[in-house]
Amino acid sequence: MDNQTMTTPTMLVCPDAESASLKAAELFAEAIRVKPNIVLGLATGGTPVAMYRHLVRMHRNESLDFSRVHSFNLDEYLGLPPDHPQSYRAFMQKNLFDHINIDPANTHVPDGLTKDPERHTAEYESLIRRAGGIDLQLLGIGHNGHIAFNEPGSAADSRTRVIELAEDTIRFNARFFDSIDAVPHQAITMGIGTILQSRQIVMLAIGADKAEAVRRAVKEAPSIECPASLLQTHPHVTFVVDQAAVS
């Protein structure tokens, strides 16, 4: 990492989880209004649910127009069909896509049932390039510092690929499934290199349990042992956090 230019991410510290979610939604809404055909990178999990709720409200009440927006999701569990309740395609439909006027053809989530993962992941990268690249990428942060499903040790120049999930990630995500045995052990994920090619990045982190990961991401030297710390090598990163996540 010695040849990388380091920048200190912008930190927007909000009083609580709700205000942090609203601030992140406002950043995305402003970007959509400035560039109606924007290409968004989207995340899943518990953290962005309230943010998506605010975007839906802005669409309904403030005429936020998604009709020309394109989106690419960070990841999907390998082996889950799109209608599985814990698939990330189902998550996006439930929490955002079904409630806004985005063109379904413009929403892209990796195919968890692909029969040729190597070809599919290469095509996903190609789709992003053909769309002009990601303008604004939303990220969450894992307890071990992972971004998307790029676990510690993932290469800084990694691209979209199949990855083995860490045991800690499987245990943490088991709360969304009937049992830990139901959690897939593999996922398709955008690579760190893909993420870092986004023009702007917003990291949304909420809760005291994310405080150590946030600290490492912004204070420690960039390292593949904390993938989020590699965001320091990107010139336009904004952390939106609640007070608990920096306490």
Side-chain angles (χ1 to χ4, degrees), residues 11-22:
M11 294 287 292
L12 300 181
V13 181
C14 303
D16 51 37
E18 186 64 21
S19 56
S21 298
L22 175 58

Side-chain angles (χ1 to χ4, degrees), residues 1 150-157 192 221-230:
M1 308 312 302
N150 293 287
E151 301 285 6
S154 297
D157 61 353
I192 295 173
S223 166
I224 61 173
E225 297 313 310
C226 178
S229 69
L230 298 172

Side-chain angles (χ1 to χ4, degrees), residues 47-247:
T47 299
V49 170
M51 173 191 160
Y52 291 151
R53 174 169 45 79
H54 283 297
L55 288 175
V56 170
R57 176 184 55 78
M58 292 172 184
H59 167 66
R60 290 175 173 168
N61 299 341
E62 302 173 19
S63 302
L64 184 61
D65 182 16
F66 291 84
S67 63
R68 297 172 60 195
V69 170
H70 290 249
S71 70
F72 290 88
N73 265 76
L74 286 167
D75 40 32
E76 178 61 282
Y77 287 113
L78 195 64
L80 293 191
D83 59 352
H84 188 286
Q86 299 308 327
S87 78
Y88 289 153
R89 165 58 79 174
F91 174 98
M92 292 307 304
Q93 296 299 144
K94 175 183 177 182
N95 289 285
L96 185 64
F97 296 156
D98 285 348
H99 311 290
I100 58 176
N101 65 329
I102 196 167
D103 183 343
N106 292 343
T107 66
H108 304 281
V109 181
D111 179 7
L113 293 184
T114 178
K115 301 300 184 185
D116 189 343
E118 185 172 350
R119 178 178 178 180
H120 177 62
T121 53
E123 288 176 346
Y124 203 72
E125 289 278 330
S126 180
L127 280 172
I128 294 172
R129 289 193 299 270
R130 292 204 299 272
I134 293 172
D135 293 304
L136 179 57
Q137 175 68 62
L138 176 66
L139 295 177
I141 188 168
H143 292 80
N144 61 3
H146 74 234
I147 50 177
F149 274 130
N150 293 287
E151 301 285 6
S154 297
D157 61 353
S158 55
R159 315 305 298 191
T160 303
R161 68 206 186 282
V162 174
I163 192 166
E164 298 286 336
L165 301 183
E167 289 300 318
D168 283 350
T169 299
I170 292 170
R171 282 197 298 272
F172 189 76
N173 286 359
R175 70 191 194 278
F176 298 117
F177 290 80
D178 292 336
S179 71
I180 193 169
D181 294 333
V183 184
H185 285 215
Q186 292 181 308
I188 295 171
T189 188
M190 274 191 208
I192 295 173
T194 310
I195 291 167
L196 291 176
Q197 284 189 327
S198 306
R199 294 177 182 89
Q200 296 185 60
I201 297 171
V202 170
M203 166 68 79
L204 180 58
I206 292 171
D209 59 333
K210 297 295 180 72
E212 176 61 14
V214 169
R215 184 199 66 78
R216 293 182 66 200
V218 299
K219 298 294 187 182
E220 292 186 359
S223 166
I224 61 173
E225 297 313 310
C226 178
S229 69
L230 298 172
L231 297 175
Q232 295 176 47
T233 68
H234 192 286
H236 300 294
V237 176
T238 300
F239 275 65
V240 181
V241 301
D242 67 349
Q243 188 63 53
V246 291
S247 298

